[in-house]
Structures are given as C-alpha cells and as structure tokens.
C-alpha cells in the first residue's frame, strides 16, 4: 500500500535530495503518488499505492496538531470503528486514511498506542522536541521496515533498495545470515539479507537518538489461559473470532481470491469468506494447486499430493465460490528467481511452492483480483494440533487421562509405536530410533548444502538433533510466530501482481485468542486439532474436518527441474564462477546430487529432505548471493 523512506543526517547535511532518491528507488511498491517532507537535515516521505477506499484521503507525511510529530505510515488497520470511538473522531473518521488514525493514536497515547492499534502497519515518527525517531511494526509482521545507522546518518525504508539508493550504504550481502538460514539455524529477527541493513522486528518499536538505538517489544501476549465453562463455548468463540478476522480482510475488495487447499485452515478461511459475502454480488475465487495432469507420483505416508477433490468439496458448499484448479505447467522452480531477487530482496525459502503460488497470482491478476486470502499461520493458531498435551499429562502424573487419550488414539488407527512417540515427544523418539539404525532417513543436515569449511569458520554445530517441544505451548508457539516474517514477500507480491495477501489466521486478536485456549481443547479424545474440527464441523465437509493427512503441494516440482536441464546447468555454472557462492555452498556435493538425480522414489523422506529442502534451498540462497555480490553502482 505504501513504501516509506526517511533519514537524519546528524552532521547537519541536507536530507531532501537523498530522500528523493530513496523514494524513487521504491516506486514499484507505491506507483500512484509520491509526497515528502523535509526540514534541513531531516526528511521523510512515502510512495502510495491505493488499495483501500480511504487511500484517497492519504495526504502523508502528516504533522500533529501541535507541530511536534511528523509521521509516515504503511498501514491497514482492523479496528477503525473502535479507534474512532475511543478517539472521539465523530464524522471525521470517514475521511481519514489509516495513517491519520495511527497519528491520532500516537498523539493520544504515545508509546502506549500499540495496545490500541490492531492490523498490519509499519510507521516512523519524527519527534522534533527530543529530537528522535520512533519506528514500529505490527505484532505479526504485515509490513516491512528496514534501517541503516552510521556515525553521521540514520535512514529507514520499507525495502532495502530504498536504503541502497544512498551511496554511503554499501551493497553487500550478509553471508553469515545466509549461512545460518541455509543451515536451518535461527537468525537474528532484526537481521536482513544485507550487511549494514537491519530491520525492525515484528511486534517491536525502536527509539533512535543521536546517542544510539534501543529496541522494545510492544507485543507480549499474556500467557494466562482462558477459562470457559464448556467446550462448546470455546467453539463458539473460535467461530466468532474467525468471522471477525475474515470480515475485516474483505475491506476494500470486490471479488476476492483465496488459496484453497484440502486442509482445515484455508478451507475455513475460504468458506467463511463465502458465508460473509452471501447475499451480495461479490464472489470468492478459490485457487487450488494440483499436480500436472497425468502425474502418477506416490504420496508419502500421511500426505495428499492432489488436494483438488477435497478442495472441491468445500467449494461445492457455497454457490458464490468459483473453484479454479492450478498446476505448474512444468515450470522449473528456477524460473522465477531473478524476479524474486528484485521484488523480495531476500532468498525464497521454498522455490517449489513459489512456482504454483506465482501462477495463482498470474491467474488472479488476469481476473482483476486485488485481494488474496490465505491461511498460512493456521498451523500455529486455528488448526494447532495440541501435541504437547500428552507429554504434559505424563510429566504431571495424570495417568488416567493419559490412558484414555492413548486408548482413543489406538481406536483411531494409531500404532502402538505412534502412540508412544506422541507421549514421549519427537526428540526422545529420534534418539530411540538411532539405537536401531545407523542413520535417520531424514537427518536434518541432509537438508543443508552449506560449505563445511564455512560452517567450521562460523562455529556452527556439525550435528543438531531436533529440538524437543517444550513444556510451555504458549512460549513455543509465540517463538514460532515471531520466527516467520512474511513482510518482504507480501510487499513484493503486491508490487508485481497488484495483489494484497491477507491472512486471517495471523490476525492479532485471533492469534491472542488461540494462544489463550488450554491445550486440552486442542487435543481431545485422541483427536489432534480438536478445537478446529469441532468448531467447524457445520461449516466444512466431513472429509476435510476428519482428514488426518496433510497436503503436499508441488509434489511434482522435480518434473519441471528435469524438463529444463540446461537451466539447472547454467545456474550451477554461474554459482561456480562466483567466489562468494563457492564459499557459501558445498558445490561439489551439489553437483554430485544433480548428477545422481533420482529417477524415482520422490516420496521417500531422505530424497525429499535432500532435494526438495536441501538442493532447492541451496540454489535459491546461492542465486541470491551471486546476484547480491556486486558494487553499489
């Protein structure tokens, strides 16, 4: 919706001309209108892309009534009506942009405004009185915000290319971050893929003065559990929260797109949107990724490779859903890497999924859609499995309840070994398996092609057993939510395809509700994801609600790679010619894997781990690094 930029030269240099370069570099993210404000050595501005009806009232940068604060914001707020009432805006609210709401909230509540702002946002406020900058992002990372700080300059921009428009900021990839990402290790949530450029973390605000920068978490959801009298009360609350979260994401859209798989999350989002739009002339265009016609691959245990039939059952429940099956048409996952580098400015984590998601975006744009609903965070919220309940019952000595759940699992078809594995958790299970076989069929290090010499230089571990799930479901899920930062990808998709991706399962109030539900509501009577299954039983087909298998989208990805060997060979040659990629990647092993390309067995865990995860991630990381290794010109 908006690309932001701003800078402060603490040595007194004029800021306006450099700001114009920063805004111009980000024009693809906001092509409709540019506006700026400057005052000697301080400047800020925005490039606007109009999506919401209220965007026609956007007159940023905005100055507070007393002249102290100047603000730019990239915002999509969920609670305009509540804010209008709390701020006593009366009739003025209808002609205020979301950015104007953010400024009004900041004027009223200062750094406590985050308790009142719900939705996706990134904003920057210049405080003339201090002087200082205040930069912030929403809880779930809906909007990006990057920055650079040196002895003489502080600058921020929505995307790194806005900062690289300044010649004093070197264009240099962050090899350490790329290595940790490639090696499946946690990274600093404030790091970017470029040295000299950091980002404001999700759910954080930063205060920048001439003396330095301090970071603060403004989103710290309470670990207190919700206590309701009956299970049915939790079900009713979940349905109400889902209805609200979907409804606010229909704002400003006519027909809406939806990514519809055979799983509960996307099915619930799609069906809820259809219910909310019933009685209007607006439709839901549901896109389902399926294998290419004639694909005869074997499904791995517990997975579904063609989700078309399940998705069709959901679509058939609602006459205002148009169901569109989408296959990759034999495209290679390498096809879109150049475009992804330009749009997202960080490596694509799953190139095989990008093939079908990009094609869905192509089809949605051709239909004139501007909004795409997803359910990407549903595994941690809506359909959370409650798998920590059984180990918790064991730790607490609640053996009678544990025995009842174990018996229910056996009756549902789980093996004895499977029941034991769920009770003791994944890490002990893996250790036990290690006693009986020399190597695990899906060793985590099979999924990385990091150069062993670089791993040693960086002090990264040579072997990592999988982390066991902790006793604290709230803390574990919150950490996982904070680990996934989708903002750069959402901004790039909006820029190229004109499609605003909106995820109701990442709605802050919905997330907070899901975190507050006790674990025994998620796992009941031997059934995982029980809260979603019971709550949505009257909204979704029984086959979707009762399915215990998970979808495996892009199961046919290897066909596109095999059909374009010249493309793969050319990329490997480019990686080999770049000194930085030779340092990052284990290129001899990568080359050997390509030479040993499997003719079959793509459903086997070891092949999936090595090729779908390891090889594709290495190619994407290497491609990003070689493209980013250039001069600032």
């Amino acid at each position: 919706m908006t690309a932001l930029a701003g800078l402060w030269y603490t040595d007194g240099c004029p800021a306006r001309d450099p700001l114009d370069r920063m805004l111009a570099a980000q024009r693809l993210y906001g092509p409709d209108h540019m506006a700026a404000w400057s005052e000697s050595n301080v400047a800020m501005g925005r490039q606007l892309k109009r999506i919401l009806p209220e965007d026609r009232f956007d007159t940023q940068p905005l100055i507070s009534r007393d002249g102290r604060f100047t603000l730019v914001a990239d915002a999509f707020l969920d609670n305009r009506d509540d804010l209008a009432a709390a701020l006593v805006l009366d009739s003025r609210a209808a002609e205020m942009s979301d950015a104007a709401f953010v400024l009004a909230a900041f004027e009223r509540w200062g750094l406590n405004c985050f308790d009142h702002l719900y939705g996706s946002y990134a904003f920057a406020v210049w405080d003339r009185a201090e002087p200082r900058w205040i930069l912030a992002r929403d809880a779930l990372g809906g909007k990006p915000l990057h920055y650079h700080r040196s002895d003489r300059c502080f600058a921020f921009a929505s995307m790194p290319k806005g900062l690289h428009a300044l010649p004093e900021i070197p264009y240099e990839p962050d090899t350490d971050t790329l290595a940790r990402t490639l090696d499946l290790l946690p990274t600093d949530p404030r790091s970017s893929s470029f040295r000299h450029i950091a980002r404001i973390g999700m759910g954080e605000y930063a205060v920048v003065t001439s003396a330095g920068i301090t970071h603060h978490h403004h989103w710290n959801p309470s670990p207190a559990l919700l206590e309701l009298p009956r299970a049915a009360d939790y079900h009713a609350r979940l349905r109400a929260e889902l209805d609200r979260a979907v409804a606010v994401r229909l704002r400003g859209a006519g027909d809406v797109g939806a990514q519809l798989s055979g799983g509960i999350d996307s099915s619930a989002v799609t069906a809820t949107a259809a219910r909310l739009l019933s009685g209007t002339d607006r439709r839901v265009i549901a896109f389902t990724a399926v294998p290419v016609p004639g694909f005869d691959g074997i499904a791995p245990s517990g997975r579904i490779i063609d989700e078309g039939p399940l998705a069709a059952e959901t679509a058939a429940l609602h006459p205002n859903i148009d169901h569109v099956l989408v296959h990759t048409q034999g495209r290679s996952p390498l096809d879109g890497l150049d475009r992804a580098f330009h749009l997202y400015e960080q490596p694509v984590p799953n190139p095989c999924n990008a093939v079908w998601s990009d094609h869905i975006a192509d089809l949605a744009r051709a239909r004139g859609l501007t909004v795409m609903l997803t359910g990407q965070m549903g595994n941690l919220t809506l359909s959370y499995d409650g798998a920590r309940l059984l180990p918790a019952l064991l730790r607490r000595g609640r053996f009678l309840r544990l025995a009842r759940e174990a018996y229910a699992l056996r009756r549902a078809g789980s093996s004895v070994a499977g029941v034991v594995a769920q009770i003791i958790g994944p890490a002990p299970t893996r250790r036990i398996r290690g006693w009986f076989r020399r190597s695990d069929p899906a060793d985590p290090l099979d999924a990385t092609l990091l150069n062993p010499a670089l791993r040693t230089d960086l002090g990264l571990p040579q072997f990592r057993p999988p982390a066991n799930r902790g006793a604290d479901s709230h803390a574990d899920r919150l950490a996982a939510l904070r680990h996934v930062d989708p903002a750069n990808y959402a901004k790039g998709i909006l820029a190229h395809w004109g499609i605003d991706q909106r995820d109701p399962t990442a709605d802050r109030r919905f997330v907070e509700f899901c975190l507050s539900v006790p674990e025994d509501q998620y796992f009941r009577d031997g059934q995982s994801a029980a809260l979603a299954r019971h709550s949505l039983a009257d909204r979704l087909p029984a086959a979707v609600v009762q399915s215990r298998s998970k979808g495996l989208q892009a199961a046919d990805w290897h066909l596109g790679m095999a059909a374009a060997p010249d493309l793969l060979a050319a990329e490997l040659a480019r990686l080999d010619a770049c000194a930085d990629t030779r340092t990052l990647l284990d290129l001899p092993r990568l080359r050997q894997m390509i030479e040993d390309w499997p003719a079959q067995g793509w459903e086997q865990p070891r092949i999936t781990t090595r090729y779908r995860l390891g090889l594709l991630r290495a190619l994407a990381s290497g491609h990003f690094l070689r493209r980013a290794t250039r001069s600032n010109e």
Side-chain angles (χ1 to χ4, degrees):
M1 291 171 38
T2 305
L4 310 179
L7 71 163
W8 176 24
Y9 283 117
T10 54
D11 62 0
C13 286
R16 178 54 193 266
D17 287 346
L19 175 75
D20 288 345
R21 293 197 297 272
M22 297 174 70
L23 291 171
Q26 297 182 98
R27 189 175 184 276
L28 76 159
Y29 302 107
D32 295 335
H33 185 257
M34 186 275 280
W37 168 91
S38 63
E39 189 175 76
S40 183
N41 61 329
V42 179
M44 69 172 76
R46 65 96 172 100
Q47 292 276 173
L48 176 66
K49 181 176 178 65
R50 296 186 180 93
I51 294 178
L52 301 172
E54 296 81 9
D55 285 342
R56 66 185 186 276
F57 304 119
D58 192 303
T59 59
Q60 298 184 73
L62 301 174
I63 301 175
S64 63
R65 287 167 295 181
D66 62 2
R68 175 177 176 176
F69 303 117
T70 305
L71 170 141
V72 287
D74 179 12
F76 180 109
L77 298 180
D78 297 346
N79 63 329
R80 283 173 57 99
D81 291 345
D82 293 342
L83 281 171
L87 295 167
V88 196
L89 296 175
D90 303 321
S91 60
R92 291 172 292 163
E95 297 185 356
M96 290 174 61
S97 68
D98 284 24
F101 272 88
V102 173
L103 178 59
F106 188 84
E107 285 186 275
R108 171 74 176 276
W109 295 298
L111 292 176
N112 293 320
C113 69
F114 307 108
D115 295 335
H116 305 271
L117 294 176
Y118 290 87
S120 300
Y121 58 80
F123 69 80
V125 173
W126 171 247
D127 181 353
R128 296 179 64 191
E130 292 295 339
R132 61 178 181 170
W133 285 103
I134 298 161
L135 286 81
R137 289 179 67 201
D138 67 271
L140 280 303
K143 309 291 183 183
L145 192 58
H146 297 77
Y147 69 89
H148 165 83
R149 184 177 180 275
S150 67
D151 292 340
R152 63 180 293 267
C153 172
F154 174 80
F156 67 85
S158 291
M159 297 294 281
K161 57 173 56 69
L163 294 166
H164 284 140
L166 301 176
E168 60 260 43
I169 301 179
Y171 196 103
E172 182 183 353
D174 188 337
T175 306
D176 291 0
T177 295
L178 292 175
R180 294 187 68 86
T181 301
L182 185 61
D183 216 33
L184 306 178
L185 291 169
T187 60
D188 184 344
R190 299 183 189 125
S191 67
S192 79
S193 295
F194 294 95
R195 293 191 190 279
H196 317 292
I197 292 179
R199 72 174 102 203
I200 303 299
M202 296 186 296
E204 284 191 348
Y205 72 90
V207 178
V208 184
T209 68
S210 59
I213 180 169
T214 57
H215 294 266
H216 311 267
H217 278 293
H218 64 75
W219 186 59
N220 297 288
S222 170
L225 295 178
L226 182 66
E227 295 183 8
L228 299 178
R230 303 172 304 155
D233 298 326
Y234 291 100
H235 304 160
R237 276 288 304 275
L238 183 134
R239 287 191 293 267
E241 290 291 342
L242 180 62
D243 286 346
R244 181 200 53 75
V246 173
V248 298
R249 279 156 184 79
L250 299 176
R251 175 183 166 206
D255 293 346
V256 298
Q259 291 185 0
L260 175 62
S261 71
I264 289 178
D265 302 319
S266 64
S267 299
V269 169
T270 303
T272 301
R275 291 175 68 255
L276 294 171
L277 295 178
S278 64
T280 74
D281 60 355
R282 299 162 68 186
R283 303 190 65 79
V284 178
I285 317 301
F287 299 92
T288 301
V290 297
V292 294
F295 179 68
D296 59 356
I298 300 172
S301 177
R303 307 302 292 268
I304 303 171
I305 60 178
D306 184 356
E307 299 182 87
L310 276 178
E313 291 198 36
T314 297
L317 293 178
H318 301 276
N320 59 342
I321 294 181
D322 297 334
H323 192 207
V324 181
L325 299 179
V326 180
H327 63 79
T328 59
Q329 299 179 326
R331 297 182 183 182
S332 168
L334 301 180
D335 284 339
L337 291 183
D338 282 333
R339 178 176 61 205
F341 174 84
H342 179 59
L343 293 175
Y344 312 136
E345 300 192 271
Q346 61 188 32
V348 178
N350 296 302
C352 56
N353 287 339
V355 176
W356 61 259
S357 63
D358 288 357
H359 192 34
I360 286 176
D362 290 336
L363 297 175
R365 178 174 59 181
R367 287 174 174 259
L369 301 178
T370 59
V371 171
M372 181 70 67
L373 300 177
T374 71
Q376 295 176 0
M377 290 297 176
N379 286 342
L380 295 169
T381 56
L382 175 59
S383 66
Y384 170 61
D385 59 12
R388 291 166 181 79
L389 177 66
L390 299 187
L393 293 175
L394 179 64
R395 287 194 306 273
R396 296 168 188 166
R398 296 180 59 184
F399 301 121
L400 182 59
R401 171 71 188 278
L402 180 61
R404 287 201 302 265
E405 293 293 351
Y407 178 69
L409 278 170
R410 285 288 288 135
R411 290 194 63 184
S414 293
S415 66
V416 172
V419 173
V420 171
Q422 291 194 57
I423 292 173
I424 66 175
T429 300
R430 185 177 185 124
R431 285 194 293 269
I432 292 170
R433 286 174 179 166
W435 297 341
F436 297 98
R437 56 167 72 107
R438 294 182 63 185
S439 62
D440 192 274
D443 191 308
L445 287 184
D446 274 349
T448 174
L449 284 165
L450 182 67
N451 188 333
L454 181 59
R455 181 184 292 116
T456 300
D457 290 345
L458 296 177
L460 303 181
Q462 298 292 327
F463 173 74
R464 300 185 308 281
N468 201 2
R469 285 170 166 160
D472 189 341
S473 167
H474 180 279
D476 284 356
R477 291 159 69 196
L478 185 58
L481 286 164
R482 286 173 167 162
H483 178 69
V484 180
D485 192 335
N488 284 36
Y489 303 113
K491 184 66 74 176
I493 289 168
L494 180 59
H496 184 73
W497 286 279
I499 295 173
D500 192 16
Q501 288 200 330
R502 303 177 185 175
D503 183 0
T505 64
D507 175 279
R508 174 180 157 189
R509 283 174 288 188
F510 185 77
V511 169
E512 290 173 349
F513 164 73
C514 291
L515 289 175
S516 74
V517 174
E519 196 87 3
D520 62 4
Q521 295 297 321
Y522 287 107
F523 196 103
R524 295 179 68 85
D525 302 321
Q527 189 176 61
S528 63
L531 180 65
R533 296 184 197 277
H534 289 294
S535 302
L536 302 171
D538 62 342
R539 293 192 179 190
L540 299 178
V544 173
V545 171
Q546 297 170 5
S547 176
R548 292 179 176 269
S549 298
K550 293 185 177 181
L552 180 63
Q553 293 164 319
D556 58 346
W557 70 269
H558 54 280
L559 299 182
M561 292 284 284
D566 293 344
L567 192 63
L568 180 56
E571 181 61 29
L572 185 58
R574 295 188 188 101
L575 296 177
D576 200 33
C578 176
D580 292 82
T581 55
R582 291 198 302 271
T583 299
L584 176 70
L585 299 177
D586 188 347
L587 287 178
R589 185 177 172 219
L590 176 59
R591 189 177 296 105
Q592 188 63 52
M593 288 175 62
I594 294 173
E595 293 176 1
D596 296 339
W597 194 265
Q600 56 187 359
W602 291 97
E603 76 284 357
Q604 298 176 10
R606 181 174 288 277
I607 291 179
T608 297
T609 300
R610 286 183 171 178
Y611 284 87
R612 181 178 174 122
L613 299 182
L615 179 136
L616 286 184
R617 188 183 293 264
L619 290 172
S621 298
H623 176 277
F624 177 89
L625 181 57
R626 72 169 180 80
R627 287 291 309 271
T629 305
R630 63 172 177 81
S631 69
N632 205 18
E633 288 77 16

